[in-house]
Amino acid sequence: MSDHNPKEPNINSLSLDLTQLIFSSLPLPSLLRASAVCKLWNSLISSPSFTSPCLSYPWFFLFGLHNTSSRNNQSFAFDPLSNAWFLLPRLDDPSSSSAFLGSNGFFFTTTPNFSYTPVLKSAWRFTSPLKFSRLNPLLGVFYDGSSGGFGFKFIVVGGVRFIGGLVDIEDRLAVEIYDPNRDSWELCPALPADFRSGNSSQSLSSALFKGKFYVFGIYSCFVSSFDLRNRVWSEVQTLRPPGVIFSFLIPCNDMLVLAGMCNAPRGPSFNLWKIDEITLEFSEISIMPQSLLHSLVESEEDENFASLKCVGMGNLIYVFNEEYHQKYPSCLCEISAENGKCSWRRVPQLPLPVNKFHKVISFCSTVSLSHSFPQQ
Amino acid sequence: MLLSKNSALESKDNEIFEVEESIAIQSELIKTMTTMVNSKAYVNERNQMVPEARCRKQANYHVEQNNKIVDEELSDWESKFFEVDMDDLHELFMAANYLEIESLLNGVTKRVGDFIKACKNVEVIRQTFGINNDFAAQQEEEIRKLNSWNHI
């Protein structure tokens, strides 16, 4: 028999440390729910001293854009810890354009104006204009330890020039780096000519890793890295393990990973290689189980694999099909922090109804608590 | 009569437990005390949160834990061990914290976390834990708006 008085909750008589310990085992959605329970819980969770290993698992974001009717746009976010999809509310970005991108921690629109908001929040800020306004660039968010209110900077690479509705494919656009403390853009050397800038985010994959912004040609297999401190590009090299048809560069926790479709004697397969960032040597670390690979495509004809795309960061790599037919199926690979072992699993289906999109934008990002609390 | 390998633990309500020393020292608190006082340890009056039943349960916890070598068996047994109501969990929590037994603490933490995870929305959490909503209406509205995608 307990002497629990219903008016005095037991759990609240636990010390604050213990209560925070409980919270640090919760995935983000449950954590946010907990923060809405009462003032005490809210203050414990929104406290700057609160940390949780659950927050280091990157989410997978899928944005579906419809060419003619933006009412049919949909945005989804996947939490790997609760293994659940969330339908995001309409983001009402200021440009309502299809020039929509995401990169670690933020959503962006790049044209006609450049603006950004923290992930899962609708708090858009316009920046001063880019010197070269552009469509579909590669985008990265990095922290260089500079002082000032904002610790981060944006790097914009490539993309196509967008002047008054006309797209200019030939231009090689300068790299621009944004400093939010000064609200200014710095011009840097453009992406080497070996890469055809073109529709950058479609044919190029990028990875921010150890102070460098890597650009990798998904089909061309060219790779070069931009040193964020010295603002120079490395020489362009080729990174193509035998049999690779197309691949993506992924910044994982301690290593660069190449993920891509491969033509093996036994049939097509999706492989992962660890890449040494200095020598660019590759070594295979995992192959997606065949049954999982086949579950992502309609049938096993080669051309169906061409619509597979891959994003990732931290300890997770997501592979999905950007064709509508099976409602954009996806799977993920988790790389164990302890022993580097890769385990693959299917990601549950998107919550229905799922519209048919003309363009699917995808990216990986961790979600921080500060995104979800009102500005202090 | 005490065997030399055993420690005697006395709880607040004066019950004495004989526990194998290797198990008793899983509690950091007892470990510290036994190094001071040979093979007997007296858990003193601060232990008001650990009535007899709890002590016994903990002793059992460790015995069983040491016996179950196979992982599956252990996790099965652990889920059953923690399948108790909120009040019991609370006591286990206090005991694990006071006696500084890390594995027990982790187990209880996870169990309470599972409770929270299973709650579909904020109101259910409040009911489960008996917590009152002390937010001002405006604050609550703000929170709800920020988290609309989460079906709070």
Side-chain angles (χ1 to χ4, degrees):
Chain A
M1 194 179 95
S2 88
D3 54 6
H4 165 50
N5 177 353
K7 292 214 177 69
E8 273 172 44
N10 272 341
I11 200 90
N12 272 350
S13 62
L14 286 178
S15 72
L16 301 185
D17 294 346
L18 287 186
T19 315
Q20 276 189 326
L21 190 62
I22 298 174
F23 293 151
S24 66
S25 73
L26 298 177
L28 184 76
S30 304
L31 199 55
L32 291 178
R33 246 171 253 146
S35 75
V37 166
C38 65
K39 282 184 177 165
L40 174 65
W41 286 24
N42 191 289
S43 71
L44 287 177
I45 294 171
S46 56
S47 150
S49 64
F50 177 71
T51 56
S52 165
C54 295
L55 299 176
S56 65
Y57 283 76
W59 287 38
F60 174 41
F61 290 87
L62 255 183
F63 287 82
L65 300 177
H66 198 276
N67 266 353
T68 47
S69 163
S70 67
R71 272 179 300 118
N72 291 341
N73 291 353
Q74 282 178 304
S75 334
F76 302 95
F78 175 71
D79 172 19
L81 282 182
S82 18
N83 201 41
W85 282 100
F86 295 91
L87 176 67
L88 301 182
R90 192 153 294 293
L91 278 175
D92 63 39
D93 70 281
S95 328
S96 304
S97 67
S98 59
F100 197 86
L101 290 175
S103 185
N104 195 17
F106 296 93
F107 298 147
F108 301 89
T109 63
T110 59
T111 195
N113 295 303
F114 194 94
S115 62
Y116 66 99
T117 179
V119 146
L120 292 184
K121 213 169 169 180
S122 199
W124 292 93
R125 281 178 200 224
F126 283 101
T127 65
S128 55
L130 280 159
K131 178 95 199 264
F132 303 104
S133 182
R134 58 192 87 193
L135 198 54
N136 287 332
L138 295 175
L139 239 165
V141 181
F142 66 98
Y143 298 80
D144 62 358
S146 58
S147 57
F150 298 91
F152 58 82
K153 293 198 164 77
F154 302 141
I155 174 170
V156 175
V157 174
V160 286
R161 197 86 184 272
F162 193 76
I163 321 163
L166 293 175
V167 168
D168 179 356
I169 299 194
E170 293 312 317
D171 226 343
R172 268 181 60 218
L173 302 173
V175 164
E176 298 191 57
I177 293 185
Y178 180 71
D179 181 350
N181 293 312
R182 302 208 188 111
D183 187 28
S184 64
W185 292 93
E186 179 189 336
L187 290 180
C188 299
L191 187 59
D194 307 58
F195 299 93
R196 266 170 290 126
S197 298
N199 214 349
S200 292
S201 49
Q202 299 302 104
S203 61
L204 297 178
S205 141
S206 64
L208 204 63
F209 186 75
K210 291 193 180 166
K212 297 201 165 96
F213 188 78
Y214 287 80
V215 175
F216 178 75
I218 295 172
Y219 306 99
S220 67
C221 294
F222 289 138
V223 62
S224 173
S225 64
F226 183 79
D227 188 312
L228 292 166
R229 177 121 40 105
N230 304 326
R231 316 285 211 230
V232 288
W233 287 98
S234 72
E235 62 166 319
V236 177
Q237 291 172 274
T238 303
L239 176 58
R240 191 201 293 266
V244 165
I245 308 168
F246 61 87
S247 51
F248 306 83
L249 201 57
I250 311 285
C252 290
N253 273 333
D254 302 308
M255 58 180 174
L256 268 181
V257 170
L258 191 70
M261 260 335 272
C262 213
N263 245 343
R266 60 182 175 260
S269 68
F270 195 93
N271 298 9
L272 302 181
W273 295 266
K274 174 183 155 124
I275 308 292
D276 180 306
E277 73 269 18
I278 317 271
T279 63
L280 291 189
E281 275 166 18
F282 50 85
S283 55
E284 192 177 280
I285 55 175
S286 183
I287 300 181
M288 188 195 294
Q290 287 294 85
S291 54
L292 191 54
L293 180 61
H294 292 149
S295 75
L296 295 181
V297 293
E298 196 179 324
S299 71
E300 286 144 40
E301 285 155 38
D302 285 349
E303 58 263 26
N304 290 322
F305 294 111
S307 55
L308 291 181
K309 292 278 180 286
C310 179
V311 294
M313 60 178 282
N315 61 344
L316 292 178
I317 296 181
Y318 295 94
V319 183
F320 70 101
N321 189 338
E322 61 171 16
E323 280 298 306
Y324 171 71
H325 189 86
Q326 289 163 288
K327 312 282 193 302
Y328 312 106
S330 54
C331 69
L332 70 83
C333 176
E334 179 167 354
I335 305 181
S336 155
E338 286 167 9
N339 52 27
K341 270 182 78 173
C342 300
S343 50
W344 295 85
R345 60 182 190 267
R346 187 64 201 258
V347 166
Q349 191 182 61
L350 284 169
L352 301 174
V354 175
N355 301 335
K356 188 166 180 179
F357 306 119
H358 291 107
K359 185 170 160 189
V360 174
I361 292 169
S362 62
F363 60 96
C364 230
S365 173
T366 47
V367 181
S368 91
L369 284 176
S370 61
H371 292 155
S372 315
F373 291 112
Q375 220 86 42
Q376 239 58 32
Chain B
M1 193 164 96
L2 291 175
L3 301 172
S4 54
K5 280 283 182 191
N6 284 6
S7 306
L9 304 176
E10 180 176 341
S11 75
K12 159 82 174 161
D13 33 12
N14 296 327
E15 171 120 358
I16 296 191
F17 300 87
E18 232 180 81
V19 176
E20 224 183 83
E21 195 165 322
S22 61
I23 293 177
I25 62 171
Q26 292 218 14
S27 155
E28 289 295 322
L29 183 73
I30 293 180
K31 192 173 171 182
T32 321
M33 290 172 97
T34 49
T35 58
M36 296 185 321
V37 189
N38 229 337
S39 62
K40 279 189 189 178
Y42 290 95
V43 185
N44 60 26
E45 73 273 10
R46 287 283 321 280
N47 206 4
Q48 65 232 18
M49 310 153 215
V50 191
E52 164 217 327
R54 201 53 53 226
C55 253
R56 187 187 298 283
K57 251 199 163 166
Q58 277 164 68
N60 281 345
Y61 178 77
H62 288 299
V63 171
E64 295 299 320
Q65 216 183 22
N66 288 333
N67 286 341
K68 298 265 188 287
I69 304 169
V70 181
D71 274 336
E72 264 173 41
E73 266 185 33
L74 181 59
S75 57
D76 271 347
W77 181 86
E78 274 189 351
S79 0
K80 292 213 185 71
F81 182 81
F82 290 115
E83 228 162 78
V84 292
D85 68 16
M86 204 54 61
D87 296 332
D88 286 345
L89 270 186
H90 181 249
E91 288 190 359
L92 271 177
F93 224 141
M94 305 300 271
N97 190 40
Y98 178 69
L99 290 172
E100 297 171 48
I101 305 174
E102 192 177 321
S103 53
L104 189 60
L105 197 60
N106 287 340
V108 184
T109 305
K110 182 172 177 304
R111 181 79 181 120
V112 179
D114 288 345
F115 262 107
I116 299 180
K117 272 191 264 192
C119 295
K120 293 286 176 207
N121 60 47
V122 174
E123 199 40 55
V124 177
I125 300 182
R126 289 191 188 124
Q127 282 165 19
T128 308
F129 293 92
I131 298 177
N132 289 327
N133 177 5
D134 59 353
F135 282 118
Q138 195 203 3
Q139 235 183 331
E140 201 173 351
E141 187 50 36
E142 231 176 68
I143 294 178
R144 193 199 311 276
K145 256 205 278 189
L146 271 178
N147 294 296
S148 58
W149 54 271
N150 196 17
H151 315 298
I152 269 192

